[in-house]
Amino acid sequence: MHPTEAESGSHVVRQQASSGKFCAKSSCGLFPRQAPSWVIYLPQELQDRVNSSVGPTPSFGITFESVLKEKGSFQLRPGAWWSQRIWSMSRDSKGCREVQRAFDEATDQEERLAMALELRGHVWEALRCPFANYVLQKCVTVLSRENMNFIFQELKQKGPEMIQQAARHKYGCRIIQRLLECGPADQVNDLIDCLLQDAINICAHPYGNYVIQNLLDQSGKLPTTGTREQRRRLLHSLMDNVTLVGNESDNVYVSAVMVKIMSVAQREEKVQLARSLLRVPGLLRKMGTTRHGHQAAKKVLKTLTGSEHEDARFQLYGHGSEATAESRRKAASMRRQET
């Protein structure tokens, strides 16, 4: 918002668009006789500071940009219809749609940040809300990486166990996935480290397994040293707990993670995991009877070679394959006897 012109014939007082600074000169001195109009939208303590910078004894260095930075917000449009209403509207089924539309229609990052900061202090509550979680997802997808730090910070304050709980939450899992996709690299790495502390329980969860699959997708897209190491840690967690795949209550979700890791991992990583599955008698056969497990079993067959491949086929098809092979041997023997 640009300041208004002074009514006493002074020069125009305005915000400089390029630097955020304001400067003004009255007709009889070097300093403005009144504060700029945008001051009324600031908290009282900041209004007092700006007011003290006008008149005969100004405080140098006060700028519009510095005041906003000190406040920790960029509320450049405090008169907007959504001002001070974002959080209350976000918890309403209709209001959350209006807020999401406002984020999409915002003119720049500063306006989006001003809107997002109205959720500050409510991130954990929004994450679990059936309506506000959509607004929080929208924030993550439209904000620049450097502007979403407050979201990560509020989650970190809850501690690793609560973040892992969020990954298993019906709505929270969506927020964790959006953060993995859109967050700054250092924050995302910290988030992944936290999730890997309880990787197996998250893998075996109806909602959590999608978070781990998303994590694997991101590690496949960004094969840096850090993401490779994190993927290796997940791989070893799965190998150490591979018998979970044969557990009737858990295998459907763990197997889905197996399919994903067999799709995005490096060749040597796939072989390690396939061998760990092969070492458990009857495990591949159990996998082959489940929705996701049979896909993982197929990938195991494609990964292994030689005698390991044959062992995997035998485990998958069991006595059926053996009987077929025996019938073929008998038929061949009978043909040789006839000749």
Side-chain angles (χ1 to χ4, degrees):
M1 177 180 294
H2 293 290
T4 59
E5 296 184 0
E7 297 178 356
S8 60
S10 64
H11 291 285
V12 176
V13 181
R14 65 183 62 193
Q15 175 191 336
Q16 294 180 356
S18 60
S19 64
K21 297 181 180 179
F22 71 87
C23 60
K25 294 181 181 180
S26 67
S27 58
C28 60
L30 295 176
F31 308 109
R33 295 181 181 273
Q34 62 181 30
S37 59
W38 49 260
V39 171
I40 64 174
Y41 299 111
L42 299 177
Q44 187 59 50
E45 66 272 19
L46 294 181
Q47 289 187 39
D48 294 341
R49 284 195 58 190
V50 176
N51 288 332
S52 67
S53 69
V54 300
T57 57
S59 299
F60 291 99
I62 297 293
T63 66
F64 186 39
E65 181 181 19
S66 65
V67 169
L68 291 177
K69 284 185 177 179
E70 180 172 330
K71 180 174 170 55
S73 169
F74 291 87
Q75 295 181 353
L76 296 182
R77 297 166 182 81
W81 64 267
W82 47 259
S83 183
Q84 306 302 314
R85 298 176 60 197
I86 295 295
W87 176 232
S88 61
M89 293 181 66
S90 295
R91 289 171 288 173
D92 176 74
S93 60
K94 182 179 179 180
C96 75
R97 294 186 178 91
E98 294 297 322
V99 173
Q100 292 177 73
R101 186 178 301 114
F103 272 107
D104 287 331
E105 295 175 354
T107 56
D108 51 38
Q109 272 292 316
E110 291 180 336
E111 185 171 25
R112 291 188 180 99
L113 178 58
M115 296 170 65
L117 288 176
E118 293 198 11
L119 296 175
R120 188 164 49 184
H122 303 290
V123 168
W124 183 253
E125 190 176 351
L127 176 147
R128 296 173 296 168
C129 176
F131 306 120
N133 83 87
Y134 290 106
V135 174
L136 191 55
Q137 287 185 73
K138 178 64 71 173
C139 284
V140 175
T141 56
V142 302
L143 287 178
S144 60
R145 283 183 167 86
E146 61 271 16
N147 285 341
M148 63 178 70
N149 282 330
F150 78 96
I151 300 176
F152 282 95
Q153 291 304 318
E154 289 192 34
L155 291 180
K156 286 181 180 179
Q157 289 173 3
K158 291 291 184 178
E161 291 185 3
M162 297 300 282
I163 293 176
Q164 294 154 13
Q165 179 180 321
R168 296 190 292 267
H169 191 272
K170 181 177 182 179
Y171 308 127
C173 66
R174 304 170 185 175
I175 307 303
I176 301 299
Q177 290 181 72
R178 300 296 85 77
L179 291 173
L180 290 172
E181 295 164 357
C182 305
D186 56 338
Q187 300 276 25
V188 169
N189 285 335
D190 290 344
L191 182 60
I192 292 175
D193 285 338
C194 179
L195 295 172
L196 291 179
Q197 293 176 24
D198 194 32
I200 293 302
N201 286 328
I202 298 176
C203 285
H205 193 271
Y207 303 124
N209 79 91
Y210 293 109
V211 172
I212 299 299
Q213 291 185 61
N214 191 295
L215 183 159
L216 288 166
D217 274 332
Q218 302 313 310
S219 69
K221 295 174 183 176
L222 300 171
T224 62
T225 302
T227 54
R228 284 199 300 269
E229 172 61 22
Q230 289 167 334
R231 189 173 61 217
R232 186 192 65 80
R233 286 169 55 192
L234 175 59
L235 178 70
H236 282 276
S237 293
L238 289 171
M239 290 168 59
D240 292 341
N241 297 272
V242 72
T243 52
L244 277 177
V245 180
N247 187 306
E248 291 296 329
S249 62
D250 294 331
N251 63 359
V252 64
Y253 306 119
V254 179
S255 294
V257 175
M258 291 283 189
V259 173
K260 177 62 68 174
I261 200 169
M262 293 292 284
S263 301
V264 303
Q266 301 295 318
R267 166 71 184 175
E268 60 273 16
E269 295 171 334
K270 295 178 183 179
V271 171
Q272 289 180 45
L273 183 56
R275 286 172 175 168
S276 69
L277 294 170
L278 187 61
R279 282 195 290 268
V280 181
L283 182 57
L284 285 179
R285 185 171 179 80
K286 287 183 179 179
M287 289 174 61
T289 63
T290 65
R291 180 171 47 132
H292 297 292
H294 82 279
Q295 298 178 29
K298 287 181 179 179
K299 290 185 178 295
V300 168
L301 281 177
K302 292 180 179 180
T303 300
L304 297 174
T305 58
S307 60
E308 290 179 326
H309 176 82
E310 293 303 318
D311 288 345
R313 283 186 61 84
F314 178 76
Q315 282 201 30
L316 275 171
Y317 304 115
H319 296 294
S321 293
E322 187 178 28
T324 300
E326 181 63 20
S327 297
R328 290 175 179 173
R329 284 195 295 271
K330 287 182 178 180
S333 176
M334 290 175 64
R335 285 195 295 271
R336 284 194 297 271
Q337 291 175 2
E338 290 175 357
T339 60

